[in-house]
């Protein structure tokens, strides 16, 4: 797979170089770290006009392969392969208006998923269905996303809307048939201050639904499906009683951003999102089994000049879960008695990073950049009735490096990175679990979290202007990691892009 790419890169390297054309220059500029360094601030649709990009449309075809290795989290599988098609476009309608959009498809297989038969595991945890057997899980995902932004005098306006649909299934027992529909939208408004800054606020909302149903076709009978309630515990009364569940999630949030009108300056972005989820057993007269409340707070402070910048990011997310209590059934109707708070989780993530980019104005134009970063992560979770708890703290330091060589008709670029994650502390307390196998799974996750990890990545890309600003690109990437001292994992990706 790498040999044809090596030939392509060799041809690009040996080609006669000159100054880059407009299309290649725009691609190169948008790949630099300084272009979108204020990642959170530019998500405000009212400020999208301030992102210094030109009209550009692209179609990408790609695939990735993750060979089977030791699973860090068995619920997410130990390997995968996928194919992706994505079309993106950004068009400036004039000096004051722009529209953008994305449409994508991803399909593939996740290997050896255990203790989880529910889609979007990280979003809905701990209230998922699962079993020890599991198996490969086939998935298909469709994404549609679009937005509009405009400036009228000193006022900025914007809106976005997106939809995601997912289908996941397995062709042997246990056979989940999961369907997901996720709709999100936001509106934003801003105003210019003192001719130097724009202050904007946004309001967002979302609606999520998932049908999670399992079927057994083995004539010898079905296995027990567990309705998990966190850290290895189950809802004993209803585990095995129903294999059909329905999830509904309502989301809303707000954000406020302060962004300089020019490329240089200090930017501030703060946002908050709230989620309220309910798990319902459809076969038991739509019995509301669990509820989960999520609070997500984010903050970003960034100072930037055209060729350098520094940024501090922080995120704190908490989950609170309740188990609903019911009386004895009458005619398949379970009277609601009350709710008990059973699960609590908190996650803290902090990052400090910076970048520096330079170029050498030679006939062959070189650009290069460095981005060091430091990360701190802390996780705590507890199940109240059982007293089970898990905690871990990690510190990561890393360095990314980028270089590119641009010509009139072609461009060659490379990205490399290296990072080391250190486990500062970890703790696991298990007093009661649904089965000994679930306890062993949690102990394995804790053991992997207690070990340090190295991660390395290399990506090489070639761009060629084939006709009148139409660019074709080829990109390959490889990521390698080492954890548990001698366990290795790899991820390979390849992508072909057409840019108009």
């Amino acid at each position: 797979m790498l040999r044809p790419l090596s030939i392509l890169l060799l041809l690009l390297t040996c080609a006669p170089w000159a100054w880059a054309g407009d299309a290649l220059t725009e691609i190169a500029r948008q790949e630099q770290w300084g272009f979108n360094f204020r990642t959170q601030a530019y998500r405000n649709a009212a400020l999208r006009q301030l992102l210094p990009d030109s009209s550009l449309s692209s179609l990408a075809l790609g695939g990735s392969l993750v060979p089977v290795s030791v699973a860090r989290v068995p619920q997410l599988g130990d390997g995968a392969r996928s194919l992706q098609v994505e079309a993106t476009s950004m068009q400036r309608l004039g000096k004051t208006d722009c529209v953008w959009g994305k449409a994508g498809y991803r399909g593939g297989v996740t290997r050896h998923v255990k203790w989880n038969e529910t889609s979007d595991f990280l979003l809905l945890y701990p209230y998922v269905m699962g079993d020890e057997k599991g198996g490969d899980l086939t998935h298909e995902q469709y994404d549609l996303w679009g937005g509009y932004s405009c400036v009228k005098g000193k006022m900025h306006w914007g809106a976005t809307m997106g939809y995601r649909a997912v289908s996941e299934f397995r062709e042997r027992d246990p056979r989940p048939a999961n369907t997901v529909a996720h709709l999100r939208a936001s509106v934003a408004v801003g105003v210019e201050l003192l001719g130097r800054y724009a202050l904007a606020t946004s309001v967002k909302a979302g609606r999520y639904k998932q049908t999670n149903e399992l079927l057994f076709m083995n004539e010898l009978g079905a296995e027990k499906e567990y309705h998990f309630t966190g850290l290895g515990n189950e809802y004993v009364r209803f585990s095995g009683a129903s294999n059909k569940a329905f999830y509904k999630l309502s989301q809303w949030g707000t954000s406020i951003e302060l962004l300089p009108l020019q490329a240089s300056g200090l930017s501030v972005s703060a946002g908050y999102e709230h989620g309220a989820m309910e798990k319902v057993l459809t076969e038991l007269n739509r019995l509301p089994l669990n509820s989960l409340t999520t609070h997500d707070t984010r903050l970003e402070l960034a100072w930037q000049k055209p060729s350098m910048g520094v940024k501090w990011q922080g995120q704190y997310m908490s989950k609170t879960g309740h188990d609903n209590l019911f009386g004895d059934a009458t005619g398949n109707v379970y009277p609601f008695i009350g709710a008990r708070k059973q699960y609590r989780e908190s996650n803290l993530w902090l990052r400090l990073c910076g970048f520096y980019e330079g170029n050498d104005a030679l006939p062959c134009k070189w650009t290069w950049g460095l981005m060091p970063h430091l990360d701190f992560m802390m996780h705590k979770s507890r199940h109240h009735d059982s007293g089970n708890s898990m905690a871990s703290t990690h510190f990561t330091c890393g360095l990314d490096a980028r270089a590119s060589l641009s010509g009139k008709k072609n461009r060659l670029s490379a990205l490399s990175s290296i990072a080391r994650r250190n486990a500062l502390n970890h703790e696991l307390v298990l007093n009661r679990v649904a089965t000994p196998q679930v306890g062993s799974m949690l102990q394995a996750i804790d053991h992997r979290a207690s070990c340090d990890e190295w991660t390395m990545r290399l990506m090489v890309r070639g761009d060629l202007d084939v006709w009148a600003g139409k660019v074709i690109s080829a990109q390959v990437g490889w990521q390698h990691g080492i954890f548990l001292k001698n366990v290795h994992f790899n991820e390979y990706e390849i992508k072909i892009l057409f840019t108009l």
Side-chain angles (χ1 to χ4, degrees), residues 340-358:
R340 177 184 297 174
K341 184 170 72 172
Q342 286 282 44
Y343 182 77
R344 175 73 178 177
E345 176 185 328
S346 62
N347 296 279
L348 176 65
W349 172 73
L350 303 174
R351 163 171 281 203
L352 178 64
C353 69
F355 81 92
Y356 181 83
E357 291 176 324

Side-chain angles (χ1 to χ4, degrees), residues 189-252:
V189 60
V191 61
E192 295 182 7
L193 301 176
L194 305 175
R196 298 177 56 189
Y197 288 91
L199 178 67
T201 183
S202 69
V203 178
K204 59 191 73 175
R207 187 68 174 173
Y208 174 96
K209 294 183 178 181
Q210 178 182 165
T211 301
N212 181 201
E213 299 181 351
L214 278 88
L215 175 67
F216 289 87
M217 301 184 66
N218 192 333
E219 297 179 354
L220 300 179
E223 299 181 4
K224 180 180 178 180
E225 286 294 324
Y226 296 91
H227 291 284
F228 289 112
T229 60
L231 292 175
N233 290 273
E234 60 167 326
Y235 204 127
V236 178
R237 184 177 182 181
F238 296 104
S239 286
S242 174
N243 293 341
K244 295 184 178 181
F246 179 79
Y247 296 86
K248 54 183 179 179
L249 170 65
S250 298
Q251 299 169 304
W252 66 267

Side-chain angles (χ1 to χ4, degrees), residues 463-490:
D463 305 293
L464 180 63
D465 188 341
V466 291
W467 175 69
K470 309 301 187 292
V471 178
I472 184 171
S473 308
Q475 174 180 311
V476 293
W478 170 60
Q479 181 170 310
H480 180 71
I482 305 173
F483 64 105
L484 294 177
K485 296 184 179 180
N486 58 358
V487 176
H488 299 253
F489 76 91
N490 293 279

Side-chain angles (χ1 to χ4, degrees), residues 75 125-126 228-234 342-345 379-384 386-391 427-434 438-439 441-442:
Q75 293 94 328
Y125 180 84
F228 289 112
T229 60
L231 292 175
N233 290 273
E234 60 167 326
Q342 286 282 44
Y343 182 77
R344 175 73 178 177
E345 176 185 328
H379 167 85
K380 292 183 179 180
S381 56
R382 178 178 176 82
H383 186 269
H384 292 281
S386 66
N388 292 358
S389 64
M390 176 181 285
E427 182 183 51
L428 177 65
V429 177
L430 295 178
N431 298 312
R432 187 183 72 210
V433 292
V438 173
M441 178 266 294
L442 291 172

Side-chain angles (χ1 to χ4, degrees), residues 125-291:
Y125 180 84
Y127 299 119
V128 299
M129 279 197 294
D131 56 79
E132 183 182 9
K133 186 175 182 180
D136 296 351
L137 201 59
T138 302
H139 64 270
E140 293 184 337
Q141 176 171 315
Y142 301 86
D143 291 280
L144 291 173
W145 186 266
Y148 171 77
S149 179
C150 68
V151 180
K152 301 295 183 182
K154 293 186 177 182
M155 298 298 297
H156 294 242
W157 308 88
T160 63
M161 179 172 288
Y163 179 76
R164 177 173 68 99
V166 179
S167 173
E168 287 193 321
F169 57 91
R170 185 183 296 119
E171 296 182 349
R172 67 172 181 84
D173 290 354
R175 303 169 188 252
N178 303 339
T179 57
V180 172
H182 193 184
L183 178 66
R184 294 166 293 167
S186 70
V187 293
V189 60
V191 61
E192 295 182 7
L193 301 176
L194 305 175
R196 298 177 56 189
Y197 288 91
L199 178 67
T201 183
S202 69
V203 178
K204 59 191 73 175
R207 187 68 174 173
Y208 174 96
K209 294 183 178 181
Q210 178 182 165
T211 301
N212 181 201
E213 299 181 351
L214 278 88
L215 175 67
F216 289 87
M217 301 184 66
N218 192 333
E219 297 179 354
L220 300 179
E223 299 181 4
K224 180 180 178 180
E225 286 294 324
Y226 296 91
H227 291 284
F228 289 112
T229 60
L231 292 175
N233 290 273
E234 60 167 326
Y235 204 127
V236 178
R237 184 177 182 181
F238 296 104
S239 286
S242 174
N243 293 341
K244 295 184 178 181
F246 179 79
Y247 296 86
K248 54 183 179 179
L249 170 65
S250 298
Q251 299 169 304
W252 66 267
T254 184
S255 70
I256 184 169
E257 282 79 23
L258 181 67
L259 193 65
L261 298 177
Q262 305 300 323
S264 301
L266 176 69
S267 66
V268 181
S269 176
Y272 169 79
E273 292 188 16
H274 174 274
M277 184 273 288
E278 187 175 50
K279 177 181 178 180
V280 177
L281 299 184
T282 54
E283 288 182 320
L284 301 180
N285 201 25
R286 298 182 66 86
L287 182 143
L289 190 64
N290 312 104
S291 63

Side-chain angles (χ1 to χ4, degrees), residues 291-302:
S291 63
L292 182 69
T293 303
T294 305
H295 302 275
D296 190 352
T297 304
R298 303 179 183 223
L299 180 65
E300 177 186 273
L301 303 175

Side-chain angles (χ1 to χ4, degrees), residues 20-36:
D22 292 340
L24 289 176
T25 301
E26 181 64 19
I27 293 174
R29 189 164 63 93
Q30 294 190 16
E31 285 189 348
Q32 291 181 335
W33 288 309
F35 173 75
N36 192 18

